[in-house]
């Protein structure tokens, strides 16, 4: 099978097909659990602009709809127009959609109350976290999830895949896209370079995925109590 480096445009047509890509579906479900917990914990939703970065099929809009919250303050962004197309239904309900790089968001300095990035490992770089710091207003909140470092280290080592890539089999090809996943302390330092502070770190264990199908890529290297996804809640000082 041919292996090549690609982008999410190459994956968009089938990324949300849970039969073809069960690992992506499992990561998404684990991320939804963290997002739900955090949204339940917020005393009240931040008033003002809300931005989801790398939104794909927006989990934030799903969570808002389940809570009966309006989508009118939400801007969904993604570098891939094809991935963002999976959020068209949310546009009809009031969210705005814009193609934008995670390190170059179409928002004014200090204007964002809540910034959400679900499975943000493809753009988990210094320039992204500088952009989060620029975009958030003082006391603004950032919710970020990533596949766990414990999983990526164990799995990618086991199958001899490069540490900084995620691999997807699409038709006859193995397509690699960037994926930067760090241990807790390294991730925290990356987030806290400037005026952002990590408030909470949450590991979601494999067992939390419940009874549904768990992909071999997760069940092979992980015990049930080991983390599949890690969430970071940060605040701008
Ligand atoms: C792992 S997917 C997660 C998608 C979505 N958040 C979800 O949970 O279903 C990563 C997303 O980040 C987007 N992405 C990748 N690189 C990006 C970049 N540099 N800037 C913005 N979005 C990017 C991809 O197009 C893709 O939609």
């Amino acid at each position: 099978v041919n292996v090549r480096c690609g982008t999410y445009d190459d994956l968009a047509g089938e990324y949300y097909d849970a039969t073809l890509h069960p690992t992506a579906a499992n990561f998404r479900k684990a991320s939804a659990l963290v997002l739900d917990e955090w949204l339940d914990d917020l005393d009240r939703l931040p008033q003002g602009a809300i931005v989801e970065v790398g939104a794909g099929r927006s989990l934030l809009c799903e969570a808002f709809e389940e809570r009966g919250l309006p989508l009118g303050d939400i801007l969904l962004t993604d570098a891939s127009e094809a991935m963002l197309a999976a959020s068209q239904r949310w546009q009809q309900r009031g969210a705005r959609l814009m193609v934008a790089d995670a390190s170059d968001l179409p928002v004014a300095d200090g204007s964002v109350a809540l910034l959400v990035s679900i499975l943000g490992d493809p753009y988990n770089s210094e320039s992204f976290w500088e952009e989060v710091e620029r975009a958030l207003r003082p006391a603004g909140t950032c919710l970020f999830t990533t596949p766990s470092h414990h999983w990526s280290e164990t799995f990618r080592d086991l199958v001899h895949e490069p540490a900084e890539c995620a691999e997807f089999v699409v038709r006859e090809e193995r397509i690699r896209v960037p994926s930067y996943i760090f241990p807790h302390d390294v991730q925290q330092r990356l987030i806290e370079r400037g005026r952002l502070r990590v408030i909470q770190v949450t590991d979601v264990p494999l067992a939390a995925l419940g009874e549904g199908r768990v992909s071999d890529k997760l069940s092979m290297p992980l015990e049930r109590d080991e983390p599949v996804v890690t969430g970071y809640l940060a605040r701008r000082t």
Side-chain angles (χ1 to χ4, degrees):
V1 186
N2 183 37
V3 183
R4 71 170 169 95
C5 292
T7 70
Y8 275 85
D9 284 335
D10 299 308
L11 313 177
E14 55 180 62
Y15 181 84
Y16 289 108
D17 183 326
T19 308
L20 293 175
H21 299 290
T23 312
N26 290 158
F27 282 144
R28 194 158 185 276
K29 182 172 176 191
S31 294
L33 296 175
V34 194
L35 182 64
D36 279 341
E37 190 182 305
W38 282 341
L39 290 178
D40 289 343
D41 276 1
L42 291 177
D43 308 334
R44 58 185 179 81
L45 272 177
Q47 299 294 303
I50 299 174
V51 177
E52 186 172 355
V53 178
R57 181 184 290 171
S58 169
L59 257 188
L60 183 69
C61 287
E62 273 179 30
F64 266 48
E65 189 171 72
E66 275 166 21
R67 289 169 169 73
L69 297 168
L71 307 185
D73 288 329
I74 300 183
L75 170 65
L76 303 177
T77 66
D78 200 299
S80 162
E81 191 173 356
M83 286 297 289
L84 196 58
S87 272
Q88 254 152 17
R89 63 184 285 235
W90 302 122
Q91 192 168 28
Q92 283 141 26
R93 300 184 199 187
R96 283 179 305 135
L97 271 56
M98 282 179 85
V99 173
D101 193 89
S103 300
D104 190 13
L105 297 172
V107 296
D109 294 1
S111 63
V112 174
L114 176 64
L115 187 146
V116 173
S117 159
I118 301 295
L119 302 172
D121 50 299
Y123 47 82
N124 181 22
S125 63
E126 270 186 27
S127 62
F128 166 61
W129 287 104
E130 277 167 16
E131 186 65 347
V132 176
E133 187 189 354
R134 181 192 73 76
L136 282 181
R137 69 183 191 201
T141 303
C142 172
L143 309 178
F144 174 79
T145 77
T146 162
S148 80
H149 181 259
H150 177 69
W151 170 79
S152 73
E153 191 183 36
T154 318
F155 175 74
R156 290 177 187 170
D157 191 45
L158 204 66
V159 297
H160 309 293
E161 278 180 12
E164 299 197 326
C165 289
E167 191 172 285
F168 293 79
V169 177
V170 177
R171 290 172 288 276
E172 299 299 295
E173 282 188 311
R174 285 161 55 192
I175 296 179
R176 289 182 175 164
V177 291
S179 171
Y180 305 104
I181 302 174
F182 305 113
H184 288 179
D185 56 337
V186 178
Q187 183 67 54
Q188 181 157 353
R189 278 202 297 279
L190 185 61
I191 297 173
E192 293 191 335
R193 292 175 60 259
R195 290 169 295 180
L196 298 173
R197 292 293 165 266
V198 173
I199 308 296
Q200 204 179 318
V201 180
T202 304
D203 279 323
V204 181
L206 187 64
L209 290 174
E211 294 306 310
R213 176 178 175 197
V214 173
S215 83
D216 293 343
K217 281 190 182 184
L218 298 181
S219 60
M220 190 173 57
L222 292 182
E223 302 289 338
R224 286 178 59 75
D225 61 345
E226 290 181 320
V228 55
V229 152
T230 304
Y232 295 84
L233 187 153
R235 194 144 289 149
R236 221 214 83 173
T237 55

